[in-house]
Amino acid sequence: MKKVLGVALGILTAIGGFVDIGDLVTNAVVGSRFGLSLVWVVALGVVGICLFASMAGRVAAVSGRATFEIIRERLGPKAAGANLVASFAINLLTLTAEIGGIALALHLVSSVEPRLWIPVAALAVWLVLWRVKFQVMENVAGLMGLLLVGFGVALFLLGPDWGELMRQAVPPSPPSTEHPAAYWYYAVALFGAAMTPYEVFFFSSGAVEERWTAKDLTMNRANVLIGFPLGGLLSVAIAACAAVVLLPAGIEVSSLSQIVLPVAQAGGVLLLALVIIGIVAATFGAALETALSSGYSLAQYLGWSWGKFRRPARAARFHVTMVVAILLGVGILMTSVDPIAVTEMSVVFSAVALPLTYVPILVVANDPQYMGCHVNGRVVNALGTVYLVIVVVAAVAAIPLMIATGAGS
Amino acid sequence: MRVTRWRWVARGAVAATVLAGTASCTVASHQEPGQASAAVADALSQAGSAAETTRIVVAQLSRGRLTGPMADTALLDQLRVLDDAETALTTLVPPDTTSSDQRAAGLAAVGDVTDVVVSTREWDAARAGGDLGGAAAVPPSADALLADLEKATGAVDRALALAGGP
């Protein structure tokens, strides 16, 4: 019974923890411009993140070591160093976007300038990282993030023309009012939002934090294969709400306040309040995960003592790294840069950095020296290879598409 | 010897890239008419989006489905969008009289929408019991605001049609 409850809790936190500010903004922007014609990218991204997160979790559970330790050992310090620089930069950009997301959500309920909320949000993130246990932190943020189900409820209350939504989704093609390059730019952004690199670092390091062993592989699979697809449905609900309310009105999403308007229209103040709590929880949880991922990647590469299972004094450099990352994020946001613009950049650059994260995991998951009898099977390897091609194509296309479309404008 | 030549080629390529990049960042002194019309249409579609967002905010606020602070935040966000649209139009250098007329119509339409969004914020503040409660300039009802928005949206649509937009 205890095991079943553990699996259920893992699945629920995986659902609630799936959506972050990148998913929220990108899905709403896409829904308001392209309807559901890009829903196939969400499905593609969900399968991809399931594949790579389960591989990363398996590597951590079987070897007892986290991703970056093995990447450095397996690929050597130079290749791993390049990987570290790119991953850390993307992590920092994502952390900045998440802290900005918390501030925007608080701005929405209070009408107080977001720049006043940014230091408050950053301080809260640091305090939780410093004081709260890993499991409590992960479960509370994940479970509260489940309130984003409100977008799904809103979609049903809006009573959309389901046939029209299906026609938008199948067969997928850009609307006649949009340029195909913009369509593909947002396809890459949506893919980057679903497969952000920090999720894999956090997942594999979290497995070490929670002392997973090969016996926990079933729970790992259940969390990933059930939790992430259900989380992906939340992403689709966000896009569908925008497609039903904002697209027909010709509204171009540029702020968080527009993203929640369909929820207000459908369910009024109560549903809106629940969804905003969900947004704060989801962005807060993602801020914790990205800050931890910054500490994990640097500490694991440099061989420092790391982990929340150790007291901060026993992993001082790991904690200092997280503090520095948070301060850098705050510094970027204090320049008055638009957090929504930072979010849009972060998902595109996540797509650029994807191969650096996924190639080493695929290599290590096939290495019997680390994995013993738990190396990838044929099906997983075939899927992994297909995804490797997709990931590389997305990474190569991201920046040219960004330049050609003026970042999708 | 070959290494030196390659080094010079590489330096030349870097210099040419920097030069091209810098040149593309300079302020345009001349635009093609089509480019100017597209820029006007772009700014107007932002203004149209702001007007539609304001319409939803007014409708939901009057039905009690949105709180005052949330509505205020949404309206402030739209004022920023309108500010960007106005900046895009005021910094445009029209290449001919047609583009100049399109810009003038665009600026007037963006101004109309901005006026209604400002009035909506006043109405929101008055509803919340602010000092504006008795002010004559505050629109009396949501219906009056929606009618003003309808007029402003019409102006945006006409300006958009003039600029060759959808």
Side-chain angles (χ1 to χ4, degrees):
Chain A
M1 189 62 186
K2 200 177 173 186
K3 202 165 185 177
V4 174
L5 283 175
V7 173
L9 185 64
I11 291 169
L12 289 175
T13 52
I15 300 168
F18 184 84
V19 174
D20 65 359
I21 190 74
D23 292 291
L24 197 64
V25 170
T26 317
N27 278 290
V29 170
V30 163
S32 70
R33 285 183 60 174
F34 303 95
L36 286 188
S37 64
L38 280 166
V39 76
W40 62 273
V41 181
V42 177
L44 193 73
V46 167
V47 174
I49 193 72
C50 285
L51 184 71
F52 282 97
S54 64
M55 259 192 261
R58 181 153 40 89
V59 168
V62 172
S63 67
R65 297 164 70 189
T67 319
F68 246 100
E69 277 180 44
I70 301 177
I71 289 176
R72 184 185 159 133
E73 192 174 278
R74 183 69 172 73
L75 303 181
K78 274 190 183 173
N83 193 320
L84 174 74
V85 170
S87 303
F88 197 88
I90 299 302
N91 245 339
L92 185 60
L93 199 59
T94 314
L95 172 62
T96 306
E98 304 298 348
I99 294 174
I102 304 169
L104 284 180
L106 295 172
H107 166 58
L108 191 55
V109 283
S110 63
S111 200
V112 172
E113 179 68 16
R115 272 205 293 175
L116 291 175
W117 283 118
I118 289 164
V120 177
L123 183 68
V125 168
W126 173 73
L127 276 175
V128 171
L129 288 171
W130 184 260
R131 299 294 304 171
V132 180
K133 282 185 179 168
F134 184 87
Q135 273 191 323
V136 175
M137 182 192 90
E138 191 189 19
N139 292 341
V140 171
L143 290 176
M144 287 181 72
L146 277 176
L147 290 173
L148 290 177
V149 169
F151 277 101
V153 175
L155 182 60
F156 279 95
L157 291 176
L158 285 168
D161 178 351
W162 297 102
E164 172 56 26
L165 287 179
M166 277 303 288
R167 273 191 291 280
Q168 288 174 7
V170 187
S173 60
S176 55
T177 49
E178 294 286 352
H179 196 278
Y183 179 82
W184 286 106
Y185 170 75
Y186 278 105
V188 169
L190 212 48
F191 190 63
M195 289 187 74
T196 35
Y198 82 85
E199 285 172 347
V200 168
F201 292 132
F202 177 76
F203 200 74
S204 70
S205 304
V208 178
E209 293 261 25
E210 291 177 326
R211 300 178 203 284
W212 284 13
T213 63
K215 287 179 189 167
D216 297 305
L217 286 179
T218 314
M219 194 196 277
N220 168 34
R221 281 197 199 105
N223 287 357
V224 169
L225 299 179
I226 302 173
F228 284 178
L230 291 175
L233 284 181
L234 287 185
S235 295
V236 175
I238 295 165
C241 280
V244 171
V245 175
L246 309 181
L247 176 67
I251 291 173
E252 298 169 15
V253 171
S254 59
S255 59
L256 194 61
S257 57
Q258 290 170 308
I259 297 172
V260 297
L261 279 181
V263 178
Q265 185 169 323
V269 174
L270 182 63
L271 189 61
L272 185 58
L274 292 175
V275 163
I276 290 175
I277 295 170
I279 293 175
V280 172
T283 48
F284 196 87
L288 295 172
E289 291 176 9
T290 44
L292 279 167
S293 293
S294 303
Y296 287 145
S297 53
L298 193 66
Q300 287 164 12
Y301 176 82
L302 293 171
W304 296 342
S305 176
W306 62 272
K308 274 192 58 64
F309 59 91
R310 291 189 171 96
R311 291 175 59 194
R314 300 268 175 209
R317 286 179 288 191
F318 166 68
H319 277 272
V320 168
T321 306
M322 291 194 288
V323 171
V324 170
I326 291 170
L327 288 176
L328 284 172
V330 170
I332 294 169
L333 290 167
M334 282 302 190
T335 61
S336 292
V337 64
D338 178 12
I340 298 287
V342 175
T343 304
E344 289 179 344
M345 289 293 121
S346 77
V347 293
V348 174
F349 282 101
S350 284
V352 174
L354 281 178
L356 292 170
T357 315
Y358 292 108
V359 172
I361 290 170
L362 196 58
V363 170
V364 174
N366 273 298
D367 191 335
Q369 211 178 328
Y370 293 100
M371 302 298 292
C373 62
H374 295 286
V375 288
N376 281 350
R378 278 185 193 170
V379 176
V380 174
N381 262 342
L383 254 181
T385 311
V386 170
Y387 266 87
L388 193 59
V389 174
I390 297 171
V391 156
V392 170
V393 169
V396 171
I399 290 180
L401 281 171
M402 182 188 253
I403 294 168
T405 61
S409 58
Chain B
M1 197 62 167
R2 184 174 286 176
V3 172
T4 312
R5 191 182 297 162
W6 276 113
R7 198 171 286 170
W8 277 108
V9 170
R11 282 178 186 168
V14 170
T17 309
V18 170
L19 196 65
T22 314
S24 66
C25 293
T26 57
V27 177
S29 56
H30 177 77
Q31 275 188 316
E32 294 300 319
Q35 286 177 311
S37 299
V40 172
D42 233 26
L44 283 166
S45 68
Q46 284 181 41
S49 165
E52 284 298 324
T53 305
T54 306
R55 189 183 57 72
I56 295 179
V57 168
V58 172
Q60 300 316 317
L61 196 58
S62 64
R63 291 169 63 197
R65 290 180 166 253
L66 209 55
T67 62
M70 285 186 199
D72 189 58
T73 304
L75 295 170
L76 263 177
D77 288 336
Q78 298 323 302
L79 286 175
R80 281 191 202 101
V81 169
L82 289 163
D83 191 34
D84 287 348
E86 192 180 0
T87 305
L89 290 173
T90 47
T91 54
L92 186 73
V93 183
D96 54 14
T97 48
T98 311
S99 309
S100 184
D101 292 345
Q102 289 169 353
R103 188 182 69 157
L107 272 169
V110 171
D112 288 351
V113 178
T114 306
D115 288 346
V116 185
V117 179
V118 170
S119 299
T120 310
R121 279 196 82 211
E122 288 177 346
W123 176 68
D124 180 24
R127 273 172 58 95
D131 290 344
L132 286 165
V138 177
S141 66
D143 289 339
L145 276 170
L146 290 171
D148 289 347
L149 270 171
E150 191 71 39
K151 276 186 214 156
T153 311
V156 169
D157 288 343
R158 283 191 295 280
L160 203 52
L162 197 66

